[in-house]
Amino acid sequence: MQNESVDVLIIGAGPSGAVSAAYLFKQGLKVKVVEKSKFPRFVIGESLLPRCMDHFEEVGLLEELKKRNYEVKAGARFMRGDKICNFDFSKKFTEGWDWTWQVPRADFDKTLTDTLEGWGVDIDFEKEVVGVDFNGSDSITTIKDIDGSLSAISAKFIVDSSGHGRVLPRLLDLDKPSDIGRHSSIFTHVKDSKRPQGREGTIITFDIVSLETWLWVIPFSNGYTSIGFVGPSDYIESFQGSHTEKLREMMKLSEYYFDRFDGLEYEFEPVIIKNIAKSVKKLYGEGFVLTGNSAEFLDPVFSSGVTFATESSLVASKLIAKQLAGETVDWEKEYAEYMKEGVNVFATYVKEWYTGNLQTIFFDSNDNPTIKAQICAVLAGYVWDKENPFVKNHHRLVKTVARIAEMEKEADKSIG
Ligand code: FAD
């Protein structure tokens, strides 16, 4: 079996793997990326957060992405019946990027890997990681080629950025059940031929059809739009027929969007992902680290997936470079605790979305601009800013503000 030796092996060439490869390559390390698919390939995760722009900029990938003219996302719209809540990233509490993009991931991820290959980064497509053996922090990883032949790669460190593939969690038995509720999703793309002119046609929207079920509408600059529902797994499964029939039936739940998408052909048979939330027993071990979706995934409601993927891979890569340069790294403190801080903030928002507390705040008619700016910073992905009370006190503040909003509503009713 052919054997190759590298400093760092990166499993998966999604945004997480790409950011890691970019950083480590620029540090002069011998990096290899192994990717199961041939790019471009479809993957879900199309609405980005401003925070991830920092990551792409820091590793030098932003300029090539800018050339693709993706649809600019300057905020997000949430709607429930006739109630609307708009977030504008330029009005957020925390300093930082006030825009990002809505991206067809096939093109976005290919742009990242083309850029890396242009720099000379070694990426092997259509090669699947099927096994790994550790000897201390050194490892030998077995790779299966598309024709079934096997090869091996020795590495001083492995970054598992395999996303939904969850390579090391599966091989090392690291998976654990998530404490986020059991939700599933069904989605596709359409050629948005009835797209309205102007902002209405391009704004990203979350249409809340019931407490736990919502539709995303993510228009792209190429004229296509991503549509998808998230809801309790049992509920999504209760719709009958093929995936196309299920999604067509679900689209009737959205009074606002039904006409726009009615009769349009689905670009591909809608995909269903069951029980979306994922978690792991640990985020790192001797000689490896889990980044991106391979580590943790909460829920798509606040579009945090790619941003956590790039935040985690950038932080991890800096620590790997430090360790390989002979410095001591406290992985628990510098990686796991740091990442968990951010994940915990978002986990609170996801949980409070589905309890209804956050929806109470979003759709409260007595809009408070200070509170809105602070929540907006969280939704932009700036979840490590302890100056923001909605970050620092996330556990109780959402509940408290929702309670006050309810009380005010009651008082208004009794006065009125
Ligand atoms: P990925 O982008 O999944 O890339 C992993 C790569 O690893 C893939 O290319 C895969 O082929 C490769 N791979 C897998 N197994 C192997 C193997 N054995 N060997 C080699 N390579 C392998 N996030 C957002 O930010 N915004 C959203 O709007 C959003 N919506 C979502 C909606 C749904 C329904 C779901 C389920 C998720 C959503 N996400 C969203 C999350 C988003 O999909 C992920 O967080 C994001 O793609 C993670 O990037 P990544 O680089 O970790 O993994």
Side-chain angles (χ1 to χ4, degrees), residues 63-76:
E63 286 313 308
E64 288 304 315
L65 293 172
K66 276 187 181 166
K67 292 181 189 160
R68 304 301 298 163
N69 291 320
Y70 298 121
E71 191 62 54
V72 167
K73 175 183 168 191

Side-chain angles (χ1 to χ4, degrees), residues 270-287:
V271 176
I272 293 186
I273 299 187
K274 292 183 183 167
N275 303 324
I276 299 164
K278 299 280 179 264
S279 191
V280 281
K281 293 174 200 159
K282 56 180 189 172
L283 294 173
Y284 65 93
E286 209 183 343

Side-chain angles (χ1 to χ4, degrees), residues 11-18 34-37 39 41 43-49 105 109 127-130 161-167 170 184-187 204 206 216 218 229-230 273 276 291-294 296-297 299-300 302-307 309:
I11 311 173
S16 190
V34 176
E35 164 58 52
K36 185 168 130 181
S37 327
F39 279 23
R41 56 89 180 89
V43 68
I44 197 65
E46 299 149 332
S47 149
L48 307 183
L49 300 185
R105 285 283 303 279
D109 290 16
K127 297 267 169 74
E128 181 182 0
V129 169
V130 291
S161 299
S162 61
H164 306 290
R166 307 184 64 72
V167 172
R170 277 190 295 105
S184 296
S185 179
I186 177 166
F187 49 84
I204 178 170
F206 300 85
W216 78 64
I218 306 176
F229 276 92
V230 174
I273 299 187
I276 299 164
T291 68
N293 245 41
S294 171
E296 181 100 30
F297 184 63
D299 190 279
F302 299 124
S303 308
S304 59
V306 169
T307 297

